[in-house]
Structure formats: structure tokens, C-alpha cells
Amino acid sequence: MSGTLYGIGVGPGDPELLTVKAFRRLKEAHVIAYPKKQRGSKSYAQQIIEAYFSPAEKEMIGLVFPMTKNMDVLTEKWNETAEAIWKQLSAGKDVAFVTEGDPLLYSTFIHLMKIMKERYPNVTIEIVPGVSSVNAAAARLQIPLADGDEQVAIIPARDDYEAMKKALEDHDCVVFLKVAKVMGMMIRLLREQNLLQNAAVVTKVTSKEEIIWNIEQLEGVELEYLTLLVVRK
């Protein structure tokens, strides 16, 4: 019998936002796998679970997911990752793969699950949902995401003024993820739509490095990747 692959959301940053079920599955799993950066710095998900688990007490394996659009490199690395996980599963070990936020919301686990199902169709997979940065940001900023018949959208921010404008026009509340690279454009858009006063920006929400920004002072500021923008009309 092969082991079970668990996709476990470990929350947005605060270790106390790890769910009871996630903690139990991590404790019971034989192996904890986590995304590993190529340059040696700890991944965000790894930092979160280190509040509870260490390599001294739990077998842990870091898996590299290169930040590239080169399909040959990506295919090779994804295949290596799938093989590394299958090696553990085929030995009868349960593997818990951790990801920040939720495993099925813009997560590395989505692609991993797809590859595992394609290459090893008999593998047993269980997903443990986690608190997403979207929910965490709403809580920290005390901004309701939706009420009654209101509509909320989760949009990966991109350098497309008209598309971002339409997202704002079509919804009562919009959470823009990965906004750091286009913050200047977003500020211009919000100003032109008279929505600056309705917007809030937070980096690494709920973590020890959390920063809640004054959006009026962000033009020209270089922001961390894990920054999001909430706009409620």
C-alpha cells in the first residue's frame, strides 16, 4: 500500500492560523515536503511550520520550483519533484506537502496534484484547506469582502489598465494579488476612479513582517512579492 499525499494549507503567515486538522495531519505524516528556494533562503510555508516542527523530529524534504518560463526547465523540475514524492509514497510513507494560504487558490500544489494524478493515477490525495491571504487581509483591515448580493473578485494584478479597470467596475469588492509589480499603475487607476480612499494595501499579512501601508505614500516604493490590494466600493 502506498502512502497518502496531503496538500496542506498552512495559512497566510501567522502560525496560529494553522488549522487543527492541518496540525494533526502534519504531526501524523511521515514526511513533510515544502517548496524550497534555489538560493537557500527559507520558503514562506517552511517558516510558518517551523513554529511547530523541525528537521530534528520530522523528516522534511525541500523541493525546488524554479521561477522561470522555460518549459524545458519547468518540465524537468516538476518531473523530479513528482518522482521524489512518489519515492516516499511508494515506500508506504504519508507525505504532507505544505503551501502558504490555501492549496487550491493560486498554489504550487495545484500543478503538483495535476502531475501526480497524471503520472501516478492510483495515488491517494487529500486536501486540507487553509486560511488564505484574502481572508486574512479582510480580517486585519476589517474590510468586509461581500455582504448580501454583493460580488467579490480575486484578481491577479497585471499590467493591463483596462482589464483592472473593468474588474473594479464589475464588482463591489476586488482583491488584487501579486500587485507589487504594477502598484504605480493601480494607484493611478484608483485615483482616476476616485477610489483611493476605498483601497488598502498589506504585505505578508499576519506574519511578523506584516506591513499595512498608507497607499498615498506608495508611489515609487518597491514592494515585496507577497503584497495585496483590497478595494471595496
Side-chain angles (χ1 to χ4, degrees):
M1 290 290 291
S2 63
T4 297
L5 173 61
Y6 295 96
I8 298 185
V10 297
D14 181 353
E16 289 189 332
L17 290 177
L18 190 74
T19 68
V20 173
K21 185 167 188 175
F23 178 81
R24 177 169 64 83
R25 287 301 192 203
L26 287 168
K27 188 174 181 180
E28 293 172 347
H30 303 96
V31 179
I32 296 177
Y34 57 89
K36 179 182 177 182
K37 296 183 179 180
Q38 283 183 302
R39 297 187 178 180
S41 59
K42 293 180 181 178
S43 71
Y44 202 52
Q46 181 186 6
Q47 291 178 52
I48 294 169
I49 64 168
E50 278 190 345
Y52 304 106
F53 304 98
S54 73
E57 60 181 335
K58 178 76 68 172
E59 184 177 359
M60 303 177 78
I61 55 174
L63 304 169
V64 175
F65 298 92
M67 300 295 286
T68 177
K69 293 183 180 180
N70 185 314
M71 289 307 299
D72 291 335
V73 173
L74 287 173
T75 300
E76 180 183 356
K77 285 297 182 182
W78 276 108
N79 287 338
E80 287 178 6
T81 296
E83 288 173 10
I85 290 177
W86 177 246
K87 182 179 179 181
Q88 301 290 338
L89 295 173
S90 61
K93 296 180 180 180
D94 293 333
V95 178
F97 183 89
V98 297
T99 177
E100 65 261 26
D102 180 85
L104 297 183
L105 183 65
Y106 298 111
S107 161
T108 307
F109 185 75
I110 296 172
H111 195 51
L112 175 61
M113 177 175 66
K114 179 175 179 288
I115 290 177
M116 293 300 295
K117 286 183 175 182
E118 289 174 352
R119 297 191 58 173
Y120 310 105
N122 293 324
V123 68
T124 300
I125 298 176
E126 180 182 314
I127 296 169
V128 180
V131 178
S132 75
S133 61
V134 174
N135 301 104
R140 289 290 291 122
L141 300 168
Q142 298 188 13
I143 297 176
L145 293 174
D147 186 33
D149 294 328
E150 293 175 342
Q151 295 185 345
V152 59
I154 302 171
I155 306 290
R158 65 184 194 274
D159 191 13
D160 186 333
Y161 183 93
E162 291 302 321
M164 300 302 97
K165 178 181 176 183
K166 190 173 190 310
L168 286 170
E169 291 174 342
D170 290 349
H171 303 93
D172 302 288
C173 181
V174 183
V175 182
F176 293 97
L177 306 178
K178 307 173 186 177
V179 75
K181 61 186 181 296
V182 294
M183 182 55 74
M185 183 197 75
M186 293 303 302
I187 291 174
R188 177 165 59 89
L189 171 59
L190 292 169
R191 185 173 288 125
E192 291 175 1
Q193 297 297 309
N194 197 30
L195 287 172
L196 267 182
Q197 71 280 3
N198 298 73
V201 178
V202 59
T203 295
K204 291 188 174 180
V205 65
T206 75
S207 76
K208 291 180 179 179
E209 293 83 37
E210 176 189 88
I211 302 175
I212 298 175
W213 299 92
N214 179 345
I215 193 170
E216 298 275 8
Q217 299 174 346
L218 278 182
E219 287 188 88
V221 175
E222 187 172 337
L223 296 169
E224 292 242 13
Y225 177 75
L226 293 173
T227 298
L228 60 76
L229 164 68
V230 183
V231 185
R232 179 175 170 83
K233 293 189 288 186

